Amino acid sequence: MGDSWKDSVVAVITEFGRTARINGTEGTDHGTATVALLIGGALKGGRVIADWPGLKEANLRDGRDLKPTTDLRAVMKGILKEHLCVDDHLLAQNVFPGSKAINPLAGLV
């Protein structure tokens, strides 16, 4: 990307989580939590932002899935607001309809 890299943000996100326990098909697919990787020169990078609940039985969702601790809409709202100056109202109504209660994650860019 050359000189454009310093102004770039790339988000790699999947909704395909993994389970912490073997499921009915002897696999660990179709879990709840997932991961988002953000890369690019515009980011305040070099860190991991996470709230790790752990893998103890009491910390798993439904006794098998890693608990989601960050709404990915908050991550993307933060990027879109800070990097592309998208208005809060547009984020909550048009980009992520019905997400008014989810605040943008600040400080990523």
Side-chain angles (χ1 to χ4, degrees):
M1 293 191 55
D3 292 338
S4 298
W5 184 249
K6 70 181 181 322
D7 299 317
S8 298
V9 174
V10 178
V12 180
I13 300 173
T14 177
E15 52 76 40
F16 189 73
R18 293 286 174 179
T19 66
R21 302 284 185 266
I22 293 175
N23 62 22
T25 60
E26 301 298 315
T28 58
D29 54 334
H30 301 289
T32 305
T34 189
V35 66
L37 302 173
L38 303 175
I39 57 175
L43 292 167
K44 293 179 183 173
R47 59 202 168 132
V48 174
I49 300 172
D51 180 13
W52 177 248
L55 297 174
K56 290 182 180 177
E57 190 76 27
N59 295 339
L60 296 177
R61 179 177 177 177
D62 299 328
R64 69 176 212 129
D65 289 351
L66 188 63
K67 284 183 185 175
T69 59
T70 302
D71 192 312
L72 290 176
R73 294 171 294 179
V75 175
M76 289 310 302
K77 278 183 164 186
I79 295 292
L80 294 170
K81 180 178 179 170
E82 292 181 353
H83 190 56
L84 299 179
C85 302
V86 178
D87 177 81
D88 284 329
H89 178 74
L90 288 175
L91 288 171
Q93 298 302 317
N94 297 80
V95 180
F96 299 106
S99 67
K100 186 177 181 179
I102 299 165
N103 294 319
L105 187 58
L108 297 174
V109 179

